[in-house]
Amino acid sequence: MRKLEKAQSDKSSLTKDSRKDLSFVRAAKSGGWRSDLPEQFAAQIEAKWGHIMTFLNYPLVTREAGGVEPELAGFMPSGPER
Amino acid sequence: MIWGLKRIVKYALGTDIAGRNLAVYPDDTFIVSYPRSGNTWTRFLVANLVHPEQAVTFVNIERLIPDCEAMSSRYVKRVTRPRIIKSHEYFDPRYKKVIYIVRDPRDVALSYYDFSRKYRHIEDSFPLTRFVSEFVAGRLSSFDWGTWGENVSSWFYTRNGRPEFLLLRYEDMLSNTEGELGKVARFLGIESTRERLTAAVERSTADRMRSLEKTQGDKWVSTKDKRSDIPFVRTASSGLWKEKLPAVSIAEIESAWGPLMRELGYELTSSAGRSGASLESPELVKEHS
């Protein structure tokens, strides 16, 4: 897909008017956020959608998932991964 | 960490808003809807049904059926269990037992327009057509709860048909209040005698709620400090959009949510809506365009 993007990016509506120095097909892996996303932003995301993330089996790292006191879970600097 | 400290102080002082950080218990029941869809009326109906020993007012409603987006975590936590809680949240997997109220989005838009003027979010002169565009795009004060389409579909497509989910249409509640309240009573496991249902309905009429708002509006968390020349309890009607909503706004709403509206029994009137209704979900169309 990277090769195709290089050759055809000026023909696709998704990429033709976009920056060429950044590729549309990226790392194609999961978990990049652990090294690239600052913890404060991970915390913001988990605070907002933690319940749904837990429901979908995405482990939370900045708060406890489904603790007894959910409203206090955000105070945990780093909750256990599961 | 500072963010966490701020939250702990707010929690201790009771100045936070419970919202999505609400502590949910397994025996909780939620009354959920998008804003301006009859939630307050339903709260009155249900509270009067569950607590026939006392008339429900704007003064005691937060104690009987608290609003988790207006009250603090500590306040909602202290409400006697099993709790019934009012919410506008989009799908939350922790909510096990849910009464979801849906209302025709064309009427919701009109009601929301008045509400936004009451809350001083917009001036009286704000054009209705522009407001509807904001409503459809999800740029109103309620953006945190998604658009009408996102909020409704998040509950409807995940839970509808399950025994712990009761879907009510505001329009059905207006035309057959006792019948719909009877469904609520069965859902909650409450004895639904004709007398009990009738009493709850009579204590929750729009007229009674309007007169309570006049005398208690300055005490209720949702109306105090808001404009008192625009009522919170509005017309309590359905179909007003047919005469009040400009054709372009009707088309915009139907074009955005036509398939979902049709699935919920709301007839589409504009050609834009009808043609959109035959396509896949508009959110998906947007995603791929």
Side-chain angles (χ1 to χ4, degrees), chain A residues 18-65:
Chain A
S18 65
R19 283 174 58 173
K20 298 289 174 287
D21 58 324
L22 299 173
S23 56
F24 181 87
V25 180
R26 274 180 75 256
K29 64 182 183 193
S30 72
W33 62 271
R34 289 176 193 273
S35 54
D36 296 347
L37 193 68
E39 187 178 337
Q40 72 189 91
F41 299 137
Q44 249 179 308
I45 290 171
E46 293 185 359
K48 178 112 175 145
W49 296 310
H51 306 305
I52 293 180
M53 290 171 68
T54 302
F55 180 65
L56 295 168
N57 284 329
Y58 293 116
L60 307 184
V61 298
T62 64
R63 57 195 279 135
E64 187 103 48

Side-chain angles (χ1 to χ4, degrees), chain A residues 48-49 51 69 71 75, chain B residues 4 7-8 20 77 90 144:
Chain A
K48 178 112 175 145
W49 296 310
H51 306 305
E69 304 287 342
E71 75 271 36
F75 308 136
Chain B
R7 284 200 57 220
I8 209 163
R20 287 189 90 81
K77 190 175 176 183
Y90 51 80
D144 236 11

Side-chain angles (χ1 to χ4, degrees), chain B residues 19 28 45 52 59 80-81 92 94 140 152 158 191 199 219 223 232-233 251 255 282:
Chain B
D28 286 337
L45 284 166
V59 174
T80 312
R81 291 170 66 183
D92 187 326
R94 301 172 307 149
L140 299 182
V152 173
T158 53
E191 188 196 10
K219 295 178 189 73
T223 47
F232 183 90
V233 181
S255 166

Side-chain angles (χ1 to χ4, degrees), chain B residues 162-180:
Chain B
R162 294 195 184 186
E164 297 291 271
F165 185 81
L166 177 66
L167 179 71
L168 298 176
R169 287 188 350 143
Y170 178 73
E171 295 75 14
D172 298 336
M173 292 173 67
L174 281 177
S175 61
N176 179 17
T177 313
E178 270 185 39
E180 295 302 294

Side-chain angles (χ1 to χ4, degrees), chain B residues 149-289:
Chain B
E150 289 164 344
N151 195 293
V152 173
S153 56
S154 77
W155 287 106
F156 180 68
Y157 292 118
T158 53
R159 292 283 178 82
N160 194 39
R162 294 195 184 186
E164 297 291 271
F165 185 81
L166 177 66
L167 179 71
L168 298 176
R169 287 188 350 143
Y170 178 73
E171 295 75 14
D172 298 336
M173 292 173 67
L174 281 177
S175 61
N176 179 17
T177 313
E178 270 185 39
E180 295 302 294
L181 190 58
K183 288 184 191 171
V184 173
R186 286 189 289 280
F187 184 70
L188 296 175
I190 293 172
E191 188 196 10
S192 56
T193 60
R194 172 56 68 86
E195 293 73 28
R196 192 164 175 176
L197 292 174
T198 306
V201 171
E202 282 173 358
R203 283 176 161 185
S204 311
T205 61
D207 280 344
R208 180 167 183 274
M209 288 179 68
R210 272 187 209 106
S211 57
L212 285 173
E213 185 188 346
K214 273 190 188 151
T215 55
Q216 303 172 340
D218 57 339
K219 295 178 189 73
W220 188 38
V221 65
S222 294
T223 47
K224 69 177 177 188
D225 306 325
K226 306 296 184 292
R227 282 177 61 172
S228 53
D229 59 324
I230 302 172
F232 183 90
V233 181
R234 272 177 77 254
T235 57
S237 63
S238 74
L240 211 59
W241 62 270
K242 289 177 191 168
E243 51 181 287
K244 301 271 189 194
L245 207 59
V248 63
S249 299
I250 294 172
E252 196 172 352
I253 291 173
E254 294 185 0
S255 166
W257 301 313
L260 178 59
M261 288 171 68
R262 213 158 61 167
E263 201 157 350
L264 292 163
Y266 298 123
E267 198 184 332
L268 307 184
T269 59
S270 72
S271 55
R274 283 196 300 271
S275 61
S278 60
L279 297 171
E280 57 182 315
S281 160
E283 273 83 4
L284 290 177
V285 171
K286 224 187 299 173
E287 189 81 9
H288 294 301
S289 62

